Amino acid sequence: MKQRRFAPLALGLAAVLTLGLAACTPGGQSAEPGGSAGEGGASDGDYTIAIVPKDSTNPWFVRMEEGVKSFAADTGMDVYQKGPAETDATMQAQVIQDLIAQGVDAIGVVPVDPGALETVLKQAMDAGIVVVTHEGASQENTMYDIEAFNNSDYGAFIMDNLADAMGEEGVYTTMVGHVTNASHNEWADGAVAQADAEYPNMTLLEAEPRVESQDDGEVAYQAAKELLKKYPEIEGIVGTSSFDAPGVARAIEELGLTGKVFVTGTGMPAANKSILDKGLVKSLTLWDPADAGYALAALAEKILNGDEIGDGLNLGVTGYEDMQFAEGSDKVLEGNGWVVITKDNVDDYGF
């Protein structure tokens, strides 16, 4: 498989580095759905792989689908994305249940709530379907989980950006899409640990150390507005969901706190250009969802082919070309795919 990086993202990498639909039964499998990874799956490599995002309308996952489609085009296999209409664990489980019934070979999932999906993912694996996840480091019923990076390191990196904006002092708090989201909480934990270790003049808001945005910009905005009114001492907020920073920035601007309160976290370039240009947010971090979608499908194919999965794994896309197992894990694979967006390079991105 050729090494690739989606073209729109490549333009900004040099600057960044300086900062630190129906599925059919696949050919060769008329009798049994899926296919055991140990047996290499379908004998002719003509697989059906379905990627299930948290929801089908979030711009983050719309971008992810571009990578899924690129993998399908590169391989000629039946690879597609199918998600629930909104970020809801029950709806996501139903999508997976439908895919099991259709007899796909592999399912790649970005779980809304890992715990809520354990039963249905076990059903998929029991049916001989390869199951892999992304942003699901705590998922038990998965063969492998891929992360664009070490989650604690990413959280520390987010905190470094917030600390820089805050002048390395002041009260801050953290925001996650859902308190059940494994990755978001790992990033937030990593951010807090970094502040504790490196920024002695920064203090976590003890009364409300973690706020939930429900992966919704309006909820993030309302939550931030209430926080900033209730706790005027807050000078910074760590965001994790791609909706957090825009929602918090809106609250900062509306309350006249630009330059006094800062937010950083994960966000999409085009969607956040205005808040970067206004200085409401100094920088945002992310990984390209298209790369993650491509890598998730590539991992599923490798398992179906019976390839060895181990340190040094190359999934054919930049940031995922030298995957390493997380410390103490034989299931979670980490890459080095994060990038930084600022007002100076936001226009270099094509999404």
Side-chain angles (χ1 to χ4, degrees):
M1 185 184 300
K2 64 183 180 181
Q3 190 78 3
R4 65 182 297 139
R5 158 69 74 179
F6 291 87
L9 187 57
L11 297 174
L13 283 181
V16 166
L17 290 174
T18 64
L19 296 173
L21 58 129
C24 60
T25 302
Q29 287 196 290
S30 58
E32 294 292 334
S36 166
E39 296 172 355
S43 60
D44 60 2
D46 183 17
Y47 308 122
T48 296
I49 301 172
I51 304 301
V52 183
K54 293 180 185 178
D55 72 64
S56 58
T57 59
N58 183 330
W60 184 271
F61 297 112
V62 172
R63 172 66 179 175
M64 175 174 277
E65 189 171 17
E66 293 182 29
V68 174
K69 289 178 177 178
S70 292
F71 183 84
D74 285 352
T75 62
M77 291 188 294
D78 184 12
V79 185
Y80 60 93
Q81 182 165 298
K82 183 177 183 180
E86 57 188 83
T87 304
D88 180 271
T90 301
M91 293 173 67
Q92 189 178 44
Q94 184 58 59
V95 171
I96 296 169
Q97 193 73 61
D98 292 344
L99 292 170
I100 295 171
Q102 292 168 21
V104 299
D105 293 292
I107 300 174
V109 185
V110 187
V112 173
D113 179 351
L117 296 185
E118 293 294 5
T119 298
V120 71
L121 292 183
K122 184 178 187 303
Q123 290 172 3
M125 293 177 71
D126 287 347
I129 296 172
V130 164
V131 173
V132 291
T133 51
H134 170 57
E135 290 190 73
S138 64
Q139 196 78 59
E140 294 183 8
N141 285 296
T142 182
M143 299 178 74
Y144 297 98
D145 176 77
I146 59 169
E147 302 291 332
F149 34 67
N150 176 277
N151 283 333
S152 294
D153 289 349
Y154 183 64
F157 186 62
I158 293 174
M159 176 52 70
D160 288 340
N161 282 274
L162 182 63
D164 182 57
M166 291 174 61
E168 299 186 8
E169 62 180 12
V171 176
Y172 73 95
T173 190
T174 65
M175 182 176 285
V176 295
H178 291 87
V179 293
T180 56
N181 185 299
S183 294
H184 287 188
N185 283 280
E186 288 171 12
W187 303 342
D189 289 344
V192 172
Q194 180 74 349
D196 289 345
E198 300 294 335
Y199 306 110
N201 295 322
M202 292 181 67
T203 305
L204 179 64
L205 181 68
E206 185 174 345
E208 295 191 48
R210 192 144 304 174
V211 183
E212 188 177 56
S213 69
Q214 298 176 27
D215 269 324
D216 186 304
E218 183 65 25
V219 175
Y221 158 70
Q222 293 290 351
K225 206 161 78 161
E226 291 176 14
L227 274 172
L228 294 172
K229 288 179 178 179
K230 188 175 181 180
Y231 306 103
E233 66 270 28
I234 292 177
E235 296 181 41
I237 297 177
V238 171
T240 56
S241 163
S242 60
F243 291 104
D244 293 351
V248 174
R250 179 181 162 198
I252 290 172
E253 183 175 37
E254 186 175 300
L255 294 173
L257 297 173
T258 303
K260 299 177 182 178
V261 178
F262 304 90
V263 60
T264 191
T266 299
M268 299 284 277
N272 292 285
K273 175 175 167 54
S274 67
I275 63 176
L276 288 163
D277 287 344
K278 289 179 181 179
L280 294 169
V281 177
K282 185 173 181 180
S283 63
L284 292 169
T285 56
L286 80 155
W287 65 106
D288 188 348
D291 290 344
Y294 194 102
L296 195 56
L299 175 60
E301 183 202 17
K302 285 184 177 295
I303 296 170
L304 288 164
N305 285 339
D307 293 350
E308 181 178 354
I309 307 298
D311 287 336
L313 180 69
N314 184 351
L315 295 178
V317 66
T318 303
Y320 301 82
E321 71 274 61
D322 185 22
M323 304 292 289
Q324 302 290 324
F325 279 115
E327 184 177 357
S329 176
D330 60 359
K331 183 177 289 188
V332 178
L333 288 154
E334 300 172 338
N336 59 346
W338 74 51
V339 295
V340 180
I341 313 166
T342 68
K343 67 178 182 179
D344 296 324
N345 68 4
V346 67
D347 291 327
D348 294 338
Y349 297 80
F351 64 96

